[in-house]
Amino acid sequence: MDVPTPHQGSGPALPLRVAVVGTGNIARLHAEALKAEPERAEIVSAVDVSAQALDTFRERFAVPTGYTDPEEMLRKERPDLVHVCTPPGLHRPQVEACLGAGASVLVEKPPALSLAEAEKMAAAEGGEQGPWMATVFQHRFGSGALRVADLMSSGVLGRPLVATCHTTWFRPQEYFDVPWRGRWETEGGGPTMGHGIHQMDLLLALLGEWTEVSAVVRRQARDVETEDVSMARVDFANGAIASVVNSLLSPQEESRIRIDFENATVELLHLYGYGDEDWQITPAPGREEEVMAAWKAGPSGHNSGHHAQIVQVLDALRSGVAPPVTAAESLRTLRLVAGVYASSFEGRPLTPDELGPASPFHGRMSGGRSL
């Protein structure tokens, strides 16, 4: 099971030198988390092609240096860690430049536009000694997910049987007026790739390896190249089966994961991030005392925001080990995304093994086809 446990050990005394590439809205969450951990990290530089955005970011977060070229920043500042917060189409060259300069990377989702890109980025890592690439999949790191993982490992919940994983959000047409949105070449896909991927990653972290997917993707209402809705049935190696829905057409927005185990139903209902209060457990008849005692004794107090994952990334790097979420783990999630698209375009169920280099969906999520 890939839900992380809190890292033990404080590591070296000196904080890591961190740079932030891309200073848009998501970078603010990264900077706030880093600023909250001065003993672990210091932001030494920021990069953005917009001088105005760069100046605003630097002033807000007291960043000493700024650049419009990430490679110049890498040469002059030599950071230990770079947070890549740019649009998806820029991730691969920027991540590879950072790794080539000896800096580890924490890259926003989706880490790459295709399986082929993600594999090349993983190959650019430095091996057991680093530098490494980690992907922002922060929903793994809230205490609610850790609690479920603990109960699964202990056997209290029994086998997982049936699951739902729904990311039903709303984005008006104006949202897609940004030139890189809604296009295969620059965003890699629609809500399956760029929105529901967080929920799908958490589902995989809890349920493990997937073995088959059967899906449909549609463009129902938005003027985009990609889909605006997808629906899938996913089978898992442990025998569980899940319904996965990703939509940008849903005025009543919610993010939901529900897993029916032999001994209890566990449900998470939130929107863009969860706390302990967003989880609910319903024991099966006759299992109330055992299940509720274990549930109340589990981890608590940490939401699923960027801060929880960033702390673990910093602690891992300060201790000289690979940070979560590894390139291999993010590839598994991307492979399910590719499977959803491939199954829909080919009109049949697919397995992970069918998405290797010979598949047209290995190099592009669309397989070079149009909706």
Side-chain angles (χ1 to χ4, degrees):
M1 201 174 309
D2 300 317
V3 174
T5 55
H7 183 76
Q8 302 298 316
S10 58
L14 291 177
L16 295 177
R17 291 170 51 82
V18 181
V20 179
V21 176
T23 61
N25 187 55
I26 201 67
R28 173 182 57 83
L29 301 179
H30 288 251
E32 289 172 351
L34 290 165
K35 284 293 185 178
E37 299 295 334
E39 294 183 358
R40 290 180 165 98
E42 59 175 333
I43 306 176
V44 299
S45 191
V47 181
D48 203 294
V49 294
S50 167
Q52 181 178 358
L54 179 61
D55 289 345
T56 300
F57 184 85
R58 289 181 60 199
E59 181 178 359
R60 178 172 181 177
F61 295 106
V63 180
T65 67
Y67 298 84
T68 56
D69 177 16
E71 296 199 15
E72 181 183 6
M73 180 276 294
L74 290 167
R75 289 194 305 271
K76 293 183 177 179
E77 302 298 332
R78 301 189 64 81
D80 302 305
L81 172 65
V82 179
H83 290 228
V84 173
C85 304
T86 50
L90 299 175
H91 286 177
R92 180 192 164 195
Q94 291 174 345
V95 167
E96 290 181 348
C98 294
L99 294 172
S104 291
V105 180
L106 178 61
V107 60
E108 268 293 340
K109 60 79 187 169
L113 296 180
S114 69
L115 295 174
E117 276 197 3
E119 289 171 359
K120 289 176 181 177
M121 292 158 69
E125 291 182 305
E128 293 184 1
Q129 303 303 313
W132 298 283
M133 180 189 83
T135 299
V136 176
F137 281 130
Q138 73 270 23
H139 287 193
R140 298 185 181 204
F141 296 83
S143 50
L146 301 179
R147 187 183 305 183
V148 175
D150 282 355
L151 267 64
M152 292 179 68
S153 297
S154 70
V156 169
L157 295 177
R159 292 189 302 118
L161 304 173
V162 182
T164 57
C165 176
H166 293 176
T167 303
T168 47
W169 295 356
F170 184 84
R171 296 293 184 271
Q173 184 60 47
E174 292 77 18
Y175 173 84
F176 298 98
D177 291 342
V178 177
W180 56 268
R181 284 188 175 140
R183 298 174 55 198
W184 295 108
E185 288 294 334
T186 51
E187 201 169 17
T192 317
M193 181 70 155
H195 302 81
I197 194 170
H198 274 306
Q199 293 285 103
M200 294 164 69
D201 178 76
L202 178 54
L203 184 74
L204 290 170
L206 291 169
L207 294 186
E209 298 298 328
W210 66 277
T211 57
E212 184 176 275
V213 60
S214 180
V216 293
V217 301
R218 294 284 188 271
R219 185 169 58 244
Q220 293 284 79
R222 301 291 178 258
D223 183 14
V224 290
E225 288 182 358
T226 66
E227 88 286 3
D228 53 22
V229 65
S230 69
M231 305 180 73
R233 186 215 77 225
V234 183
D235 296 346
F236 289 86
N238 59 18
I241 186 169
S243 163
V244 179
V245 177
N246 301 292
S247 168
L248 293 180
L249 308 176
S250 308
Q252 180 182 323
E253 295 186 288
E254 63 180 28
S255 304
R256 180 191 298 268
I257 286 180
R258 169 177 167 152
I259 306 175
D260 295 327
F261 297 89
E262 290 176 306
N263 300 332
T265 291
V266 174
E267 186 169 25
L268 167 64
L269 180 61
H270 65 112
L271 187 51
Y272 301 137
Y274 65 78
D276 290 342
E277 68 279 3
D278 297 312
W279 291 85
Q280 179 177 329
I281 189 165
T282 304
R287 296 284 186 169
E288 292 89 352
E289 184 174 347
E290 176 190 15
V291 168
M292 294 310 299
W295 182 254
K296 291 175 181 178
S300 63
H302 298 286
N303 64 30
S304 64
H306 282 66
H307 183 264
Q309 180 173 2
I310 287 173
V311 165
Q312 290 205 31
V313 169
L314 296 174
D315 282 353
L317 291 176
R318 295 173 79 218
S319 297
V321 297
V325 174
T326 67
E329 290 170 16
S330 64
L331 264 168
R332 181 178 64 185
T333 301
L334 277 179
R335 193 166 287 111
L336 177 56
V337 173
V340 169
Y341 289 122
S343 174
S344 180
F345 278 112
E346 296 201 349
R348 64 182 181 88
L350 275 96
T351 66
D353 292 342
E354 296 180 85
L355 296 167
S359 168
F361 300 94
H362 184 263
R364 294 183 67 182
M365 288 292 174
S366 68
R369 307 180 191 184
S370 300
L371 279 176

